[in-house]
Amino acid sequence: MVAYFATEPESLLADALNGFCRVHADLVVRDAGGGYLRARHPSPGRRVGLVSGGGSGHEPLHIGFVGAGMLDAACPGRVFTSPHNRQILEASRAVAGPEGVLHIVKNYTGDRINFGIAAERLAHLGIPCARVLVDDDLATATDGPGPGRRGTAATVLVEKVLGAAADRGADLPELLRLGERVTARCRSLAVASRSHALPATGDPAFELARNEVEFGVGIHGERAERAIPREPLTRLLERMTDPLLAALAPAREEPVILLVNGLGAVTELELYAIHDAVERLLHKRGVTSARCAVGEFVTTLDMRGFSLTLMVTDRETLELYDAPVHTPVWRW
Amino acid sequence: MVAYFATEPESLLADALNGFCRVHADLVVRDAGGGYLRARHPSPGRRVGLVSGGGSGHEPLHIGFVGAGMLDAACPGRVFTSPHNRQILEASRAVAGPEGVLHIVKNYTGDRINFGIAAERLAHLGIPCARVLVDDDLATATDGPGPGRRGTAATVLVEKVLGAAADRGADLPELLRLGERVTARCRSLAVASRSHALPATGDPAFELARNEVEFGVGIHGERAERAIPREPLTRLLERMTDPLLAALAPAREEPVILLVNGLGAVTELELYAIHDAVERLLHKRGVTSARCAVGEFVTTLDMRGFSLTLMVTDRETLELYDAPVHTPVWRW
């Protein structure tokens, strides 16, 4: 349908990373080998370095969240392809603190394997390493064995909270415990009304009928189990919010952080209108949303869709979320 | 093709503004009548208030740029429709400084008329008012009489520079002179490979062949004079950059500010790759880009396209661009 504005599909990522590092030269530096981006002014006093990464095509994740208060380094793989374990190893060696390095990994087989190999090589070098696995996508929840839930938009919340905890001097076991606690308390669901276009050909990754919505789509364009007929927005949002609340079961005194995340081509008007409707739904369900972020954080190239993420918080998580951050995307 | 995620097309704007004001409640306040948004913490010491506005559908323009260092108030009209003169009048009365109010207006007939009526009513009330007209769109440059060039993405640069000047205590004639100087020194060009979808029906506003690019498209989806065959990105960017440079003719010692602006559905990877290629072109032409912003600033709903803006600067303009700002979108 639409070809990409790119010199060559193969050079799209390299050119984009060049541009990104030039525009944000005050905040990020690319290593000489090109395998990772690191914070120019990392948080002082961290005992543990924070590294994330994954396939590209989800920008601003992860590169937009490198900087003081969040990630020390991000390793971009090719579009929708896990980074090589060497990238992760080099990034980890570069930013490891005196007590080691924490990997924040979205739950996909390729990422698990490559971060895993890097972790083994780090162990060999005597650098302590632990992993927090983000697996928030409720659309892929199953009772039986299998790969488990995919990691999607909650990743930015996890990176923010762990970044603040690392700033406060948390050690590796503390970060791991906190990471397991917060990832267990966030879930996401995504829908789309038009797939992304494939960078190589411009063809849509999949076809949807005009009056259908893909319910539970993945951030690489993984098809959902079902497409549902389009229905009024509030009904669609109930269909998303209620299962999230059922899975998380926040207590009365536990406010949530709400993330309304555009997947690429949804307008800002829609995202804020969606936010407004979800806030009303949460209120109706007796749930307090203590913080909210609306925008594009974890995208699927130019997909026309959005995701909702809820993270159940306590006082500590909220304090960590509120702590100062200075990255290309989030600054407060 | 794709219906909007909205309760009703008519309520899209109202819902979005509700959401926007809730999410950014620390920075913006909506007036009781709903006609405008104003800064919660306006710049102290301004002698002149700054008001802008226009049709919605270009978000984050203008509402995302309300705050200290930029706009005191923004008046959102319905999608692609000028705000009512009453909205502009009320916003102006609310934020006028001791020396009056400055209107920053994109050059469209409806906006000129409605800001003009508001200005007359302000004069009647004894509130001094002046207007800076932004007319950067090179695609609509003609030699003869007519409506003149349209106002597009340069608006955010003009708002930034004038906001900083107002912070420094510039009076109305000084702001007017500065505004005329900077608007004369910026030009933009936009291209698209897919039109936006109409909010009411989801149908594309216009059809483009797969291998065509609309060259010189407007931010309301105004068709260009021509669609050109798709060509390598660098060639397309030359076709955009060279006329901008020819129109602006920067001297050797005059660096430019470069704005790479997504119109809605172009991926961040593409925008940064475009930036990278334009920087190389400017370098080849002997032009220094002193500052650069890449992202979505002035959109056309979900159009798949982008615009390039160049603003020729001097030391004063650069200082004003660099001055602190605290809005929902720009913070430095």
Side-chain angles (χ1 to χ4, degrees):
Chain A
M1 293 284 276
V2 288
Y4 275 61
F5 292 108
T7 309
E8 296 289 339
E10 308 83 59
S11 70
L12 174 61
L13 177 62
D15 295 346
L17 291 176
N18 271 343
F20 184 85
C21 291
R22 191 190 290 108
V23 172
H24 302 291
D26 54 330
L27 294 172
V28 299
V29 200
R30 202 163 175 200
D31 85 306
Y36 62 91
L37 274 60
R38 58 177 292 182
R40 185 177 288 278
H41 308 290
S43 297
R46 278 194 180 179
R47 296 152 69 186
V48 174
L50 259 57
V51 174
S52 191
S56 295
H58 307 300
E59 289 66 31
L61 186 79
H62 298 269
I63 55 175
F65 299 99
V66 170
M70 281 184 80
L71 298 176
D72 293 294
C75 308
R78 282 178 296 144
V79 171
F80 295 169
T81 305
S82 177
H84 194 279
N85 74 74
R86 197 176 44 242
Q87 295 175 253
I88 303 161
L89 174 70
E90 286 169 5
S92 302
R93 291 182 68 176
V95 305
E99 297 189 32
V101 65
L102 183 75
H103 290 168
I104 303 174
V105 183
K106 302 196 296 304
N107 188 26
Y108 296 100
T109 307
D111 290 330
R112 291 179 69 146
I113 291 174
N114 288 300
F115 274 91
I117 298 172
E120 283 183 30
R121 295 176 69 181
L122 286 165
H124 223 74
L125 295 168
I127 299 175
C129 176
R131 164 194 294 188
V132 169
L133 200 67
V134 186
D135 60 349
D136 53 310
D137 188 0
L138 194 61
T140 43
T142 51
D143 289 332
R149 294 182 302 266
R150 299 178 294 223
T152 62
T155 311
V156 290
L157 298 179
V158 175
E159 289 174 353
K160 175 68 189 77
V161 167
L162 290 176
D167 281 359
R168 293 183 176 188
D171 63 19
L172 203 50
E174 286 167 345
L175 289 173
L176 191 59
R177 271 198 303 278
L178 175 66
E180 285 171 353
R181 184 154 62 88
V182 295
T183 52
R185 305 227 69 191
C186 51
R187 291 290 184 281
S188 302
L189 262 176
V191 298
S193 60
R194 187 177 62 213
S195 86
H196 63 282
L198 298 168
T201 61
D203 291 325
F206 57 83
E207 296 285 352
L208 266 175
R210 184 189 172 107
N211 286 314
E212 279 183 347
V213 170
E214 190 78 2
F215 188 89
V217 71
I219 59 168
H220 309 91
E222 299 96 331
R223 297 298 301 257
E225 273 186 27
R226 55 191 171 132
I228 60 170
R230 188 175 276 275
E231 51 195 357
L233 180 66
T234 309
R235 180 72 198 99
L236 174 66
L237 296 176
E238 273 176 352
R239 226 188 249 277
M240 298 170 75
T241 309
D242 285 344
L244 293 174
L245 289 175
L248 291 167
R252 265 222 164 270
E253 66 284 5
E254 290 178 323
V256 298
I257 299 176
L258 166 63
L259 193 72
V260 178
N261 173 55
L263 294 176
V266 169
T267 62
E268 210 171 281
L269 284 178
E270 290 165 280
L271 292 178
Y272 280 106
I274 288 164
H275 161 74
D276 189 52
V278 174
E279 285 282 356
R280 278 183 274 120
L281 274 175
L282 290 176
H283 183 75
K284 230 163 83 178
R285 302 286 187 265
V287 175
T288 308
S289 92
R291 303 289 183 276
C292 184
V294 177
E296 292 182 356
F297 307 108
V298 182
T299 61
T300 302
L301 292 170
D302 62 350
M303 178 176 278
R304 204 174 199 302
F306 67 94
S307 64
L308 299 181
T309 300
L310 294 179
M311 176 185 268
V312 181
T313 66
D314 48 32
R315 209 168 112 180
E316 185 198 1
T317 329
L318 276 185
E319 273 178 24
L320 293 170
Y321 179 80
D322 288 342
V325 62
H326 198 70
T327 69
V329 178
W330 276 354
R331 300 180 191 201
W332 59 71
Chain B
M1 293 283 278
V2 288
Y4 275 61
F5 293 108
T7 310
E8 296 289 338
E10 307 83 61
S11 71
L12 175 61
L13 177 62
D15 295 346
L17 291 176
N18 271 344
F20 184 86
C21 291
R22 191 189 292 108
V23 173
H24 302 291
D26 55 329
L27 293 173
V28 298
V29 200
R30 201 164 175 198
D31 86 306
Y36 62 91
L37 275 60
R38 58 177 292 185
R40 185 177 288 279
H41 308 291
S43 297
R46 277 194 181 180
R47 296 152 69 186
V48 175
L50 260 56
V51 175
S52 191
S56 295
H58 307 299
E59 289 66 30
L61 187 78
H62 299 268
I63 55 176
F65 299 98
V66 170
M70 280 184 81
L71 298 177
D72 293 294
C75 307
R78 282 179 296 144
V79 171
F80 296 168
T81 305
S82 177
H84 194 280
N85 73 74
R86 196 175 46 244
Q87 295 175 253
I88 303 162
L89 174 70
E90 286 170 4
S92 302
R93 290 183 68 175
V95 305
E99 297 190 33
V101 66
L102 183 75
H103 291 167
I104 303 174
V105 183
K106 300 194 298 303
N107 187 27
Y108 296 100
T109 306
D111 289 330
R112 292 178 69 146
I113 290 174
N114 288 300
F115 274 91
I117 298 172
E120 283 184 28
R121 295 176 68 182
L122 286 165
H124 223 74
L125 296 168
I127 299 175
C129 177
R131 164 194 295 187
V132 169
L133 199 67
V134 186
D135 60 350
D136 53 311
D137 188 0
L138 195 61
T140 43
T142 49
D143 288 331
R149 293 182 303 265
R150 300 178 295 225
T152 61
T155 310
V156 289
L157 298 179
V158 174
E159 289 173 354
K160 175 68 189 76
V161 167
L162 290 176
D167 281 359
R168 293 185 176 187
D171 64 19
L172 203 49
E174 284 165 346
L175 288 173
L176 192 58
R177 269 198 304 277
L178 176 65
E180 285 171 354
R181 184 152 63 88
V182 295
T183 52
R185 306 227 66 192
C186 51
R187 292 289 184 280
S188 302
L189 262 176
V191 298
S193 61
R194 187 176 62 214
S195 86
H196 63 282
L198 299 168
T201 61
D203 291 324
F206 58 83
E207 296 283 354
L208 266 175
R210 184 191 172 106
N211 287 314
E212 278 184 346
V213 170
E214 190 78 4
F215 188 89
V217 71
I219 59 169
H220 308 92
E222 300 96 330
R223 297 298 300 259
E225 271 186 27
R226 56 193 171 129
I228 60 171
R230 188 175 275 275
E231 51 195 356
L233 180 65
T234 309
R235 180 71 199 99
L236 174 65
L237 296 176
E238 274 177 351
R239 227 188 246 278
M240 299 171 75
T241 309
D242 284 343
L244 293 174
L245 289 175
L248 291 167
R252 264 220 163 272
E253 67 284 4
E254 290 178 322
V256 298
I257 299 176
L258 165 63
L259 193 72
V260 178
N261 172 57
L263 293 176
V266 169
T267 63
E268 211 171 281
L269 283 178
E270 290 166 280
L271 292 178
Y272 280 106
I274 288 164
H275 160 74
D276 188 53
V278 174
E279 285 282 355
R280 276 183 275 119
L281 274 176
L282 290 176
H283 184 75
K284 229 164 84 178
R285 302 286 188 262
V287 176
T288 307
S289 91
R291 303 290 182 274
C292 184
V294 177
E296 291 183 355
F297 308 107
V298 181
T299 61
T300 303
L301 293 169
D302 63 350
M303 177 175 279
R304 204 175 198 303
F306 67 94
S307 64
L308 299 182
T309 299
L310 294 180
M311 176 184 268
V312 181
T313 65
D314 48 32
R315 210 168 112 181
E316 185 197 2
T317 329
L318 276 184
E319 273 178 23
L320 294 169
Y321 179 79
D322 289 343
V325 62
H326 198 70
T327 69
V329 179
W330 276 353
R331 300 180 192 199
W332 59 71

